[in-house]
Amino acid sequence: QVQFVESGGGLVQPGGSLRLSCAASGFTQSYYGMGWFRQAPGKEREGVSCLDSADGSTYYGDSVKGRFTISRDNAKNTVYLQMNNLEPGETTRYYCAFRARFCSGDTRQYDTWGRGTGVTVTS
C-alpha cells in the first residue's frame, strides 16, 4: 500500500516562506517521479514541481521558477517543497503525487496522491 502524507502548510504573509513535506511509504520502485501540484476550489490542478529519482532532475512550473525548490531526503523517504516569496494568489491546497516512472506534466499520469496540505497567503 503506497501512501503519501503532506505537511508543513499554514498561514504566511505575502513574501513569506513555507517548506512543505511529503512523507512516503509503501513503495520500493527504484525510478519514480514525485510531483507537487496545487488546486484551488473551482480551478484546474496546476503542476508546481517534480523530481525524478533516476538522476535527481527537477522541473518547475513557469509561475514558481526561481522561487520554489524541490528536494528529497532518501533516508527519510521524504520530498520537500521550499516555497519562497509567496504571493496571495498561491493560496490553495498543495498535493504531492507519485508516478511509477519519470516526471510528467500531465496530472492524469500520476498513480497515487496525498490528501494535501493547505496554504494561505494573506496579510
Side-chain angles (χ1 to χ4, degrees), residues 75-120:
K76 297 181 178 180
N77 292 325
T78 300
V79 176
Y80 304 95
L81 182 68
Q82 178 67 45
M83 306 186 294
N84 296 328
N85 196 22
L86 284 160
E87 303 170 357
E90 294 173 311
T91 294
T92 187
R93 195 164 184 85
Y94 287 71
Y95 302 84
C96 66
F98 171 83
R99 186 174 187 238
R101 56 189 305 174
F102 51 82
C103 286
S104 171
D106 188 349
T107 301
R108 298 170 297 178
Q109 294 184 331
Y110 286 80
D111 301 294
T112 308
W113 293 77
R115 295 176 63 86
T117 185
V119 171
T120 300

Side-chain angles (χ1 to χ4, degrees), residues 11-75:
L11 191 151
V12 64
Q13 296 187 22
S17 299
L18 287 173
R19 189 178 75 157
L20 307 183
S21 299
C22 178
S25 63
F27 72 96
T28 58
Q29 288 86 349
S30 297
Y31 302 99
Y32 57 87
M34 184 66 70
W36 283 98
F37 295 81
R38 60 190 178 189
Q39 185 173 23
K43 297 184 179 180
E44 294 185 354
R45 190 164 296 174
E46 175 189 8
V48 176
S49 185
C50 191
L51 185 151
D52 273 322
S53 70
D55 59 2
S57 296
T58 58
Y59 307 89
Y60 299 94
D62 290 340
S63 65
V64 306
K65 195 171 299 182
R67 298 186 296 116
F68 290 12
T69 303
I70 190 170
S71 62
R72 63 180 173 180
D73 185 335
N74 289 336

